[in-house]
Amino acid sequence: MSPAFTPGKSLLLLVNLITTIGPFLADWNETHIHNPTWPPHARYHNGQTMSMGLFIGLITFYALFITIPSTPSPQQQLTHLTWVLVLQTMIYVSSLSGILYPGALWMDPEFGDGRPQLYGFPVVVGVAWVGWWVERGRLVGEGKRKRV
């Protein structure tokens, strides 16, 4: 059985926590959910985004740490690990793509003209990729040792 917490999995767990909790910390305030100028449909989409982060966080936590009844091979673990990376990358890349839609802004003008997503989200994706790469290296090494 592979160790629960390795350096690679720890980095992916950090991204997982940001994905799960971050949207609620960033959006449950007067700039988003409690913004009186937001129409109901905007609140719907914000809620959708927060729930998506929660669900992706739960799914990727499961894939990283919940063991399969039989001991998974390093290749099976690598498949799970790669799906974690795909899901974690997908949510941040899709969030970054939001600026490409007509009339989109990084922030509502009443709260400034910053771009926190532009700077923060690529860092989170980078941490996920580093975690995947480190854990992949451990799994590949484990697979080679088992074949010898």
Side-chain angles (χ1 to χ4, degrees):
M1 183 179 303
S2 70
F5 291 99
T6 61
K9 281 186 177 182
S10 296
L11 288 172
L12 287 163
L13 178 60
L14 174 63
V15 172
N16 182 285
L17 291 172
I18 292 168
T19 302
T20 305
I21 302 167
F24 291 91
L25 294 176
D27 294 356
W28 203 276
N29 57 46
E30 69 282 348
T31 66
H32 287 72
I33 288 297
H34 297 296
N35 185 338
T37 65
W38 271 28
H41 195 67
R43 293 173 201 273
Y44 163 84
H45 281 292
N46 191 206
Q48 177 186 21
T49 300
M50 291 189 301
S51 294
M52 184 171 44
L54 174 65
F55 296 146
I56 287 177
L58 293 173
I59 291 166
T60 55
F61 182 83
Y62 180 84
L64 276 175
F65 294 105
I66 305 301
T67 56
I68 300 169
S70 63
T71 304
S73 70
Q75 184 57 45
Q76 290 169 317
Q77 292 178 61
L78 182 56
T79 299
H80 279 203
L81 185 72
T82 300
W83 272 110
V84 167
L85 179 67
V86 167
L87 288 169
Q88 292 291 357
T89 300
M90 182 178 65
I91 192 167
Y92 292 101
V93 171
S94 66
S95 293
L96 286 169
S97 74
I99 197 64
L100 302 175
Y101 291 88
L105 295 172
W106 293 107
M107 295 177 65
D108 286 324
E110 64 196 85
F111 299 106
D113 61 357
R115 296 180 175 105
Q117 307 90 333
L118 179 61
Y119 306 114
F121 290 176
V123 170
V124 174
V125 169
V127 171
W129 276 87
V130 168
W132 175 85
W133 182 77
V134 169
E135 185 66 8
R136 179 190 171 281
R138 187 189 70 76
L139 290 171
V140 168
E142 188 177 297
K144 287 179 182 177
R145 284 190 298 280
K146 285 187 176 186
R147 278 184 260 159
V148 174

